[in-house]
């Protein structure tokens, strides 16, 4: 690659992150961590369902839900509320009729798409879309700011100024964007190395195991982390110390999301 092309590629890679749920890397990691834990039978089912995809892996389809939303396709518009839930109050006191009307939130979406995936009488296309939605939404449900509070739209309206290794000149961002992008991206690892690192973490205990509504348990767990882990920085100016402090939590969430996604797929695709 010519030096000017390298510079351009670098500039694009470092450009302002899109406001889209765990960055591309975060979602790919959830897909990859899940795929590494699937049984051969479930993996074969996944391969069959994704056979016509350009990248027929869980990582390869993990950002499709964001892409259709960004393109404002009919399905993207229909599903735009399925990426998150907002719950008022720091205690995360969830009221379904208020916080997830008509099932139009990440909790309702995971449950609905899991039913479609498990139902072999559904058209193949619907099951393929359900699988692609699930890979993405299980990731979203584990990003704490995707289960944030309505007053600032899950941190989207909480403006911050980040200056650090990733942006030495400094740049405006917001708390949601910092969690979608900077906390993970700033580790500076490529996807394969990062997946290895997540898989090397101790197997996470799963406090939601056996819950009646696991998707609800995952989202409420995310919501409660905002207060418990003091995710709102004291200062509107943040640097690498904020990212370094919270990266272990982000990595634990990605690992847990991948493990839970694998369990969900095992249940939905069991022969
Ligand atoms: Zn999303």
């Amino acid at each position: 690659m010519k030096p000017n092309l390298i510079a351009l590629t670098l500039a694009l890679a470092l450009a302002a992150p899109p406001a889209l749920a765990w960055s591309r890397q975060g979602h790919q990691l959830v897909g990859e961590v899940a795929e590494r834990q699937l049984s051969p039978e479930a993996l074969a089912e996944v391969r069959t369902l994704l056979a016509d995809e350009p990248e027929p892996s869980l990582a390869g389809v993990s950002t499709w839900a964001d892409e259709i939303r960004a393109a404002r396709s009919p399905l993207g518009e229909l599903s735009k509320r399925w990426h998150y839930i907002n719950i008022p109050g720091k205690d995360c006191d969830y009221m379904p009729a208020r916080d997830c009307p008509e099932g139009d939130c990440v909790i309702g979406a995971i449950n609905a798409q899991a039913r479609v995936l498990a139902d072999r009488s559904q058209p193949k296309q619907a099951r393929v879309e359900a699988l692609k939605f699930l890979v993405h939404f299980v990731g979203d449900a584990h990003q704490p700011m995707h289960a944030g509070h309505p007053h600032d739209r899950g941190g989207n309206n909480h403006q911050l100024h980040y200056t650090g290794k990733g942006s030495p000149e400094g740049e405006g961002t917001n708390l949601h964007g910092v969690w979608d992008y900077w906390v993970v991206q700033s580790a500076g690892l490529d996807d394969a190395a990062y997946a290895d690192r997540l898989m090397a973490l101790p197997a996470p205990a799963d406090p939601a195991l056996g819950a009646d509504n696991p998707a609800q348990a995952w989202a409420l767990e995310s919501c409660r982390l905002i207060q418990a882990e003091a995710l709102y920085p004291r200062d509107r100016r943040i640097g690498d110390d904020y990212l370094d402090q919270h990266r272990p939590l982000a990595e634990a969430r990605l690992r847990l999301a991948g493990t839970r996604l694998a369990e969900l797929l095992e249940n939905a695709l069991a022969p």
Side-chain angles (χ1 to χ4, degrees):
M1 208 187 279
K2 291 177 182 165
N4 58 344
L5 252 184
I6 293 171
L8 177 65
T9 308
L10 261 178
L12 287 174
L14 296 173
L20 294 174
W22 293 117
S23 59
R24 181 205 61 80
Q25 185 171 44
H27 280 291
Q28 295 218 346
L29 286 169
V30 173
E32 175 65 17
V33 166
E35 194 160 306
R36 290 188 188 190
Q37 296 177 77
L38 285 181
S39 66
E41 295 78 13
L43 184 58
E45 281 281 314
V46 164
R47 290 274 181 269
T48 303
L49 286 168
L50 299 182
D52 295 331
E53 297 295 318
E55 288 182 62
S57 66
L58 296 183
V61 300
S62 64
T63 54
W64 169 81
D66 276 341
E67 287 152 20
I68 60 169
R69 187 176 62 164
R72 295 174 173 263
S73 72
L75 191 56
E77 289 289 300
L78 179 73
S79 60
K80 65 186 179 189
R81 294 176 181 277
W82 299 355
H83 296 250
Y84 65 94
I85 183 167
N86 284 159
I87 304 169
K90 57 182 164 47
D91 296 332
C92 304
D93 194 6
Y94 174 55
M95 293 169 55
R98 177 193 64 190
D99 304 328
C100 192
E102 318 281 319
D104 243 356
C105 74
V106 72
I107 296 171
I110 290 173
N111 289 330
Q113 297 302 320
R115 281 193 295 274
V116 173
L117 180 64
D119 180 355
R120 279 152 210 265
S121 70
Q122 291 279 337
K124 183 183 177 197
Q125 181 65 16
R127 294 182 69 222
V128 170
E129 287 172 1
L131 175 58
K132 295 194 288 185
F133 274 135
L134 285 167
V135 176
H136 186 87
F137 295 149
V138 172
D140 278 347
H142 286 77
Q143 205 276 54
M145 290 296 151
H146 274 250
H149 309 306
H151 70 86
D152 65 359
R153 298 173 51 246
N156 274 296
N157 293 354
H158 190 89
Q159 299 302 318
L160 294 172
H161 190 91
Y162 164 67
T163 309
K165 286 195 300 285
S167 186
E169 304 287 304
E171 69 179 67
T173 179
N174 61 67
L175 187 58
H176 192 104
V178 164
W179 273 87
D180 272 353
Y181 182 81
W182 286 112
V183 178
V184 176
Q185 204 70 22
S186 56
L189 295 173
D190 67 31
D191 294 347
Y194 217 151
D196 290 344
R197 171 148 128 191
L198 295 183
M199 290 304 291
L201 294 174
D206 186 350
L209 210 60
D212 288 343
N213 184 340
Q216 177 179 320
W218 306 339
L220 296 187
E221 190 182 77
S222 279
C223 184
R224 294 189 184 110
L225 285 170
I226 296 172
Q227 169 85 356
E229 300 286 333
L231 301 190
Y232 278 80
R234 254 181 251 137
D235 199 337
R236 295 282 179 153
R237 304 183 74 84
I238 63 165
D240 291 324
D241 53 340
Y242 179 89
L243 308 183
D244 294 341
Q245 180 191 345
H246 293 292
R247 193 174 306 108
L249 174 63
E251 292 177 351
R253 298 301 287 162
L254 292 170
R255 169 65 197 271
L256 196 50
T259 298
R260 286 166 166 173
L261 174 62
E263 284 164 10
L264 186 159
L265 297 181
E266 290 291 341
N267 289 330
L269 299 174

